[in-house]
Amino acid sequence: MGLKEQIDLERLPQHIAVIMDGNGRWAKSKGKLRVFGHKNGVIAVRDTVEGAVEIGVPYLTVYAFSTENWNRPKYEVNALMELLVSTINKETKTLMENGVRLNAIGDLKQLPSACLKQLNQAIEKTKDNKRCILTLALSYSSRWEIVEASRQLAKDVKEGILQPEEINESTFISKLTTADMPDPELMIRTSGECRISNYLLWQLAYAELYFTTTLWPDFRRDDLFAAIIDYQKRERRFGKISEQLN
Ligand code: IPE
Ligand code: IPE
Ligand code: MG
């Protein structure tokens, strides 16, 4: 039986978050420059998105560029931004064919204008697609997001739209970049690093974490299926005891 057939489609995670890591090491292991790894990472994104669509995962959020990644050498940042523009341009067709709606979260105004323009065009073009929402976390960090949310709440209070007593989990969530999405139930990180790296800290509160040593450019839909199978074997207790479940 293939991996796909082992998945219980009734108990799919509705939202999967991915930290696509290991592009640089993948390239280095082949004696190539880091950018070669990033380019091959695009193939992995395509296959993973198609895999998610194939089984019916409605939300997929991928960490493409963190706030901290701006501190990388300038040539790598530039190469990543150029790759982003060309990828979005080329892949819009695949998104349309697969019924995928593109979305982006992060401090997008930091992106070069050509990037932002391409991104907004693809978001607009795919806006009526219904099978899966693919969110790119770009110039994103969770601490940035939480500070932004706090600032917006403070502004609402100052303007009298909100009372301090009305600040609760749901008003807070409404200010997050993921306000319209369910929390990720599964978080996958490739490349063997076992950390969160400032990704969706609030939203991952009860996510099942899955770490694999596979480097991102080698990741394919079967790796996604393997992660889901692992997820489906776990007991999610949310603070309760086993006997209380079901
Ligand atoms: C992930 O791969 C892609 C980005 C962070 C943009 P890396 O570039 O972090 O590759 P490694 O972790 O150095 O191998
Ligand atoms: C996290 O990977 C960010 C992305 C995958 C876009 P990094 O490679 O930047 O994270 P650290 O530095 O290993 O924590
Ligand atoms: Mg890395």
Side-chain angles (χ1 to χ4, degrees):
M1 187 159 61
L3 286 170
K4 187 182 155 189
E5 288 70 37
Q6 292 173 47
I7 297 173
D8 178 356
L9 296 176
E10 303 292 312
R11 291 171 47 245
L12 276 183
Q14 296 300 294
H15 185 175
I16 301 177
V18 184
I19 301 180
M20 312 185 288
D21 197 17
N23 295 353
R25 279 163 283 167
W26 184 88
K28 195 173 176 190
S29 76
K30 297 187 153 36
K32 305 272 191 185
L33 298 174
R34 295 179 56 85
V35 178
F36 182 69
H38 298 316
K39 285 190 176 144
N40 280 274
V42 176
I43 301 167
V45 178
R46 190 190 305 137
D47 205 67
T48 303
V49 172
E50 287 183 346
V53 170
E54 191 181 326
I55 56 172
V57 174
Y59 295 91
L60 183 68
T61 300
V62 299
Y63 210 178
F65 193 85
S66 73
T67 305
E68 290 74 22
N69 289 151
W70 289 115
N71 298 320
R72 289 191 177 194
K74 202 168 167 13
Y75 62 85
E76 180 163 343
V77 172
N78 290 344
L80 278 165
M81 292 301 141
E82 278 170 29
L83 184 63
L84 192 66
V85 176
S86 62
T87 302
I88 295 170
N89 195 356
K90 273 199 235 121
E91 299 295 323
T92 307
K93 191 167 163 270
T94 321
L95 297 178
M96 293 306 291
E97 283 164 6
N98 286 285
V100 179
R101 177 176 170 184
L102 190 68
N103 177 38
I105 58 171
D107 193 6
L108 303 178
K109 61 183 184 303
Q110 302 297 331
L111 296 175
S113 59
C115 238
L116 196 55
K117 194 175 155 210
Q118 197 62 248
L119 186 64
N120 284 331
Q121 276 175 5
I123 289 172
E124 175 62 26
K125 190 155 187 217
T126 59
K127 73 176 192 312
D128 295 323
N129 290 345
K130 300 257 175 333
R131 289 181 79 181
C132 177
I133 298 184
L134 170 66
T135 300
L136 303 180
L138 273 176
S139 188
Y140 173 90
S141 85
S142 205
R143 288 184 177 178
W144 164 83
E145 176 182 39
I146 289 170
V147 169
E148 270 312 298
S150 311
R151 193 201 318 278
Q152 285 179 39
L153 287 171
K155 196 162 158 274
D156 283 0
V157 169
K158 189 178 172 199
E159 289 171 4
I161 303 167
L162 189 73
Q163 296 305 310
E165 304 71 44
E166 289 170 333
I167 297 178
N168 53 32
E169 287 196 13
S170 81
T171 47
F172 196 85
I173 289 167
S174 74
K175 302 296 188 191
L176 293 173
T177 61
T178 52
D180 301 329
M181 304 180 214
D183 283 341
E185 290 151 299
L186 171 62
M187 196 286 289
I188 301 169
R189 182 171 189 152
T190 58
S191 88
E193 307 298 353
C194 300
R195 53 177 170 260
I196 305 289
S197 300
N198 216 347
Y199 191 41
L200 302 170
L201 300 179
W202 171 287
Q203 296 87 339
L204 293 176
Y206 266 103
E208 294 299 326
L209 307 181
Y210 180 88
F211 299 101
T212 169
T213 53
T214 300
L215 300 172
W216 180 253
D218 287 331
F219 197 88
R220 291 293 178 272
R221 70 188 76 190
D222 262 353
D223 299 286
L224 175 74
F225 299 160
I228 295 173
I229 291 164
D230 191 275
Y231 161 87
Q232 291 188 331
K233 288 188 186 130
R234 302 186 190 186
E235 183 177 68
R236 304 186 74 209
R237 290 189 288 278
F238 300 98
K240 296 181 180 173
I241 65 167
S242 267
E243 288 70 19
Q244 287 175 292
L245 306 173
N246 299 319

